[in-house]
Amino acid sequence: MTPGTEIRVVVVDDHAVVRAGLAQLLCGAEDIDVVATAGGGEEAVALAAQERPDVVVMDLQMPDVDGVEATRRIVAAGSAQVMVLTSFSDSERIEAALDAGAVGYLLKDSDPEDLLAGVRAVHRGESPLHPRAARQLLGARRASPGVELTAREREVLGLVREGLANKQIARRLGISERTVKAHLTSTFATIGVQDRTQAALWAERHGL
């Protein structure tokens, strides 16, 4: 790689020691330049907009704005490509991060060379996935049989995806707020989610 064409990276992690260690590791590679580090999601979004890096290495659990929401904002703004680096390997978090626009998902127990390779892969337009994350995704797909929702439940779920509150959904559909709550309770149980955020992500994945 010629001088001045290094892969520009922003590292995001709420633990200062981890953040410093990652920056040191990445800067040790001749083709990677860490242009900034952030300790939270809000700071990450601001730095990505300011620095316009090639890749953001993003932790998921942070005290202010979490990594999924920060990823969504960074991707929506076109500021950078995001590669998640986290200790969480459950399918729900993996899907949420990928749905938010992350193009890679590595775990913190990855070998240092795998992290470097992941950053390079994202820069090339590829989507690196830790083997355990890939297995979780495949397992989740096999464990999710087709679900049957009523026409009204699909309507309500679609409006939840749009971000409408129960009162707004009731007004839009001409039904009572209590009926909306009943439909949501039934829908959550049918699709196997616990809250509106998870339901909205499910609806987005399934094209509602």
Side-chain angles (χ1 to χ4, degrees), residues 34-89:
V34 175
V35 297
T37 65
E42 286 282 8
E43 186 183 8
V45 173
L47 280 173
Q50 174 183 314
E51 298 291 342
R52 294 283 169 174
D54 300 302
V55 181
V56 174
V57 177
M58 178 73 72
D59 189 19
L60 286 186
Q61 186 162 319
M62 288 178 288
D64 52 3
V65 172
D66 69 18
V68 171
E69 178 59 26
T71 295
R72 183 176 291 110
R73 295 186 194 177
I74 289 169
V75 172
S79 301
Q81 299 274 51
V82 177
M83 183 182 78
V84 169
L85 180 66
T86 183
S87 56
F88 298 106
S89 60

Side-chain angles (χ1 to χ4, degrees), residues 11 13 15-27 34 37:
V11 173
D13 196 291
H15 292 98
V17 172
V18 174
R19 197 163 64 243
L22 289 172
Q24 184 176 12
L25 169 66
L26 293 169
C27 282
V34 175
T37 65

